[in-house]
Amino acid sequence: MRLLHMMLRVGDLERSIAFYTEVLGMDLLRRKEYPSGRFTLAFLGYGPEENNTVLELTHNWDTSSYNLGAGYGHIALGVSNINETCEMIRTKGGKIVREPGAMKHGTTVIAFVEDPDGYKIELIQQKS
């Protein structure tokens, strides 16, 4: 078995696709509308779905926003230079909600960015 994708419901699909592609550097891998169900699915990631876990954005046409679920944690992205990554995200209009630093009770360096719907994305400094 392998993890295929993670799904988020988003209120504004175009805004979310722009954030994940322009700010976080993902590629839009595929997109499909389902008129009879009144929803659109968009799959984004850092490589082909055949080899990589991807993010599925679900846009229900009649819903413009969601309450964030109490059980949702975050999406985690590994980065080679967390300080440069945070600066790049800021220059592209992204919102850093936790500056880079060691995690509580540990030494791993992390930061958090927030997407347009308020979902948290953790950035983790990868060891060289």
Side-chain angles (χ1 to χ4, degrees):
M1 287 188 230
R2 75 176 182 91
L3 183 61
L4 298 177
H5 67 261
M6 299 159 288
M7 186 272 271
L8 297 176
R9 290 180 182 90
V10 298
D12 182 329
L13 185 60
E14 299 310 319
R15 179 184 70 180
S16 293
I17 288 173
F19 173 80
Y20 284 98
T21 59
E22 296 169 16
V23 176
L24 294 184
M26 292 183 182
D27 294 318
L28 176 60
L29 303 171
R30 63 185 170 102
R31 175 184 178 149
K32 185 168 182 187
E33 294 189 355
Y34 295 84
S36 62
R38 301 192 50 74
F39 69 94
T40 303
L41 300 181
F43 289 82
L44 301 98
Y46 295 111
E49 291 178 73
E50 297 78 30
N51 306 329
N52 297 276
T53 302
V54 299
L55 176 64
E56 173 190 343
L57 300 180
T58 298
H59 177 244
N60 293 298
W61 299 354
D62 301 316
T63 306
S64 61
S65 66
Y66 292 90
N67 294 324
L68 296 181
Y72 175 80
H74 59 266
I75 297 167
L77 303 176
V79 300
S80 59
N81 185 315
I82 200 163
N83 293 308
E84 287 179 6
T85 301
C86 287
E87 203 48 47
M88 180 269 305
I89 288 170
R90 256 194 278 288
T91 62
K92 293 182 176 187
K95 180 180 176 184
I96 303 295
V97 295
R98 185 204 191 269
E99 293 296 326
M103 62 181 278
K104 290 181 184 177
H105 314 292
T107 58
T108 303
V109 177
I110 63 172
F112 279 89
V113 60
E114 191 174 85
D115 88 350
D117 287 282
Y119 293 110
K120 303 293 186 287
I121 297 107
E122 180 181 23
L123 306 174
I124 301 174
Q125 175 71 50
Q126 299 292 279
K127 299 196 183 343
S128 50

